[in-house]
Amino acid sequence: YVVLGVIKTEGIASNALENVTVIFNEQTEKNRDIAKNTLDALGIFGKDQLLCPDEISGGMKLRVSIARALCKSAPLSMSLPPFASKYSI
């Protein structure tokens, strides 16, 4: 079967880190570390991980959403408007 991760750029939690950890069924320290490391890998470090959705740029919101999809371990296909280019990761 195919597992899909949906990338939404709207915030669904109070800060960037919680926006990523919300996808885990259990809120453990291990899952929080996975989320932190994924955000780090995408260039969102330290205090930036604690910013609210309305305090971050559109590009950073997209990276938070990508981090959420990557933590879900699902195949990821991205289309970047307005060019409609498609990239598979």
Side-chain angles (χ1 to χ4, degrees):
Y1 66 92
V2 176
V3 179
L4 298 176
V6 177
I7 297 177
K8 291 179 57 177
T9 57
E10 297 84 28
I12 57 175
S14 63
N15 63 48
L17 182 58
E18 287 182 11
N19 264 300
V20 178
T21 59
V22 74
I23 62 103
F24 294 111
N25 292 331
E26 296 180 25
Q27 298 301 313
T28 64
E29 194 62 36
K30 178 183 176 186
N31 289 341
R32 190 172 176 86
D33 288 342
I34 291 169
K36 282 182 180 181
N37 292 336
T38 304
L39 287 169
D40 285 344
L42 292 170
I44 302 174
F45 306 102
K47 291 183 181 180
D48 287 345
Q49 293 181 0
L50 303 178
L51 293 175
C52 298
D54 60 341
E55 297 175 323
I56 61 177
S57 68
M60 191 179 288
K61 287 179 185 178
L62 181 59
R63 287 184 283 155
V64 169
S65 298
I66 291 169
R68 193 169 47 241
L70 290 172
C71 283
K72 192 69 172 169
S73 298
L76 180 61
S77 179
M78 296 181 354
S79 178
L80 304 173
F83 307 106
S85 298
K86 192 172 181 179
Y87 303 96
S88 293
I89 297 176

